Amino acid sequence: MKFCKAELSELGAGTALAIAALMLMAAPLWPGSANAQQLPHSLRDALLGHKGAAEARRVPAPPVARYVSESGGAFIFDQAASRPLIKFDNSTEVWVLSRQPASRGDVIYRNDLGEPVLRITKLGGMILYGDDAPMGVAAALSGRAASIQPPVMLSPVALYQRMGQASVRASRAAQRQVPFETLQDARPETSVLIADAASLAAEAFERAARKDRSLLSRVLRVLLTEGGKPSAQLKDGSLVVTYAPGEGLAGRPSSKRIFKVMNR
């Protein structure tokens, strides 16, 4: 089946932890807020290793769990997958992370641009990084969550629908028709990657529309192609998004990586 023109960092971790610890020692965690009542132990204890955190560490966090950050954002962290995954409540995107040892026995999880997303401290605390929090904010376990791993494959109809939805989203962001095309026939083993690559390209369009809509004037269409490594490039008005079946879910570039190409 072939689709044609579907209509359709790390500031010093020690600095971040020290600042967070001092702020948390100076004031109680969200006094009287609903979030404070939902968390099993305080972020202060999680960061400083007080008794509450020590007791929490005796029972390991579920492999797939929901967390709430100090800033109020929530996300699901899935460690049951072959590669760690994270999904934020305010987005449909599932990010694939890479695990890297850090100083003092901590572990850092990075996205496909090498940017830090999570830091798990030796004491069991969690720090969340992002565009709005480059120095990191504390996060704490909220409870179990359902897996965010995608299905193994999609039916032709489902894939066609996902391609169409991506084209509609990109067209709405660009305020004109943006066709999505596949350069190879879709196969069962590539159906999920194609659908995800299309959705992430649409996410990049929406990000560009929020940041600088003029960036979208250079992109006339989106081409999805199979390759050895996930990548994105802008060539002759075409946003070429390459997916790599051999790398599993990590075989497609994130929306942020695609946006970076559009922003050059």
Side-chain angles (χ1 to χ4, degrees), residues 7 12 41 47 58 111 119 124 161 168 178 196 201-202 217 227 229 233 244 250 253 262-263:
E7 296 258 59
H41 55 85
L47 281 174
R58 294 195 186 103
N111 62 21
R119 185 183 188 109
Q161 291 175 338
V168 168
V178 179
D196 254 18
S217 63
K229 293 183 178 180
Q233 61 177 317
M262 299 169 67
N263 195 31

Side-chain angles (χ1 to χ4, degrees), residues 110-133:
R110 300 181 182 274
N111 62 21
D112 62 344
L113 289 175
E115 300 170 336
V117 177
L118 288 177
R119 185 183 188 109
I120 310 298
T121 71
K122 184 178 180 180
L123 296 177
M126 176 180 284
I127 306 297
L128 174 68
Y129 299 93
D131 293 340
D132 297 331

Side-chain angles (χ1 to χ4, degrees), residues 151-155 188-189 191-192:
V152 176
M153 66 181 69
L154 296 174
S155 69
E189 62 270 26
S191 59
V192 171

Side-chain angles (χ1 to χ4, degrees), residues 62-66 75-78 80 87 143-149:
V64 185
R66 188 170 184 272
F75 59 92
I76 295 174
F77 185 39
D78 187 343
K87 178 186 175 299
R144 294 181 179 274
S147 174
I148 54 176
Q149 297 183 58

Side-chain angles (χ1 to χ4, degrees), residues 41 45-46 48-59 123:
H41 55 85
D45 285 345
L48 302 181
H50 290 172
K51 183 178 179 181
E55 292 175 350
R57 287 198 303 274
R58 294 195 186 103
V59 180
L123 296 177

Side-chain angles (χ1 to χ4, degrees), residues 26-160:
L29 173 66
W30 310 314
S33 70
N35 285 335
Q37 297 173 4
Q38 293 173 1
L39 300 180
H41 55 85
S42 73
L43 296 179
R44 171 178 174 151
D45 285 345
L47 281 174
L48 302 181
H50 290 172
K51 183 178 179 181
E55 292 175 350
R57 287 198 303 274
R58 294 195 186 103
V59 180
V64 185
R66 188 170 184 272
Y67 296 82
V68 177
S69 73
E70 183 182 11
S71 60
F75 59 92
I76 295 174
F77 185 39
D78 187 343
Q79 301 183 74
S82 56
R83 292 276 299 273
L85 307 175
I86 189 171
K87 178 186 175 299
F88 297 93
D89 280 8
N90 62 352
S91 173
T92 60
E93 180 169 3
V94 175
W95 295 77
V96 180
L97 306 179
S98 58
R99 188 177 187 274
Q100 175 186 334
S103 59
R104 299 185 302 278
D106 295 357
V107 176
I108 294 179
Y109 293 87
R110 300 181 182 274
N111 62 21
D112 62 344
L113 289 175
E115 300 170 336
V117 177
L118 288 177
R119 185 183 188 109
I120 310 298
T121 71
K122 184 178 180 180
L123 296 177
M126 176 180 284
I127 306 297
L128 174 68
Y129 299 93
D131 293 340
D132 297 331
M135 292 178 61
V137 293
L141 177 66
S142 175
R144 294 181 179 274
S147 174
I148 54 176
Q149 297 183 58
V152 176
M153 66 181 69
L154 296 174
S155 69
V157 171
L159 178 54
Y160 184 84

Side-chain angles (χ1 to χ4, degrees), residues 220-240:
L220 304 178
R221 61 178 181 170
V222 176
L223 302 179
L224 304 170
T225 185
E226 185 173 333
K229 293 183 178 180
S231 65
Q233 61 177 317
L234 190 58
K235 183 177 181 181
D236 299 329
S238 296
L239 177 61
V240 182

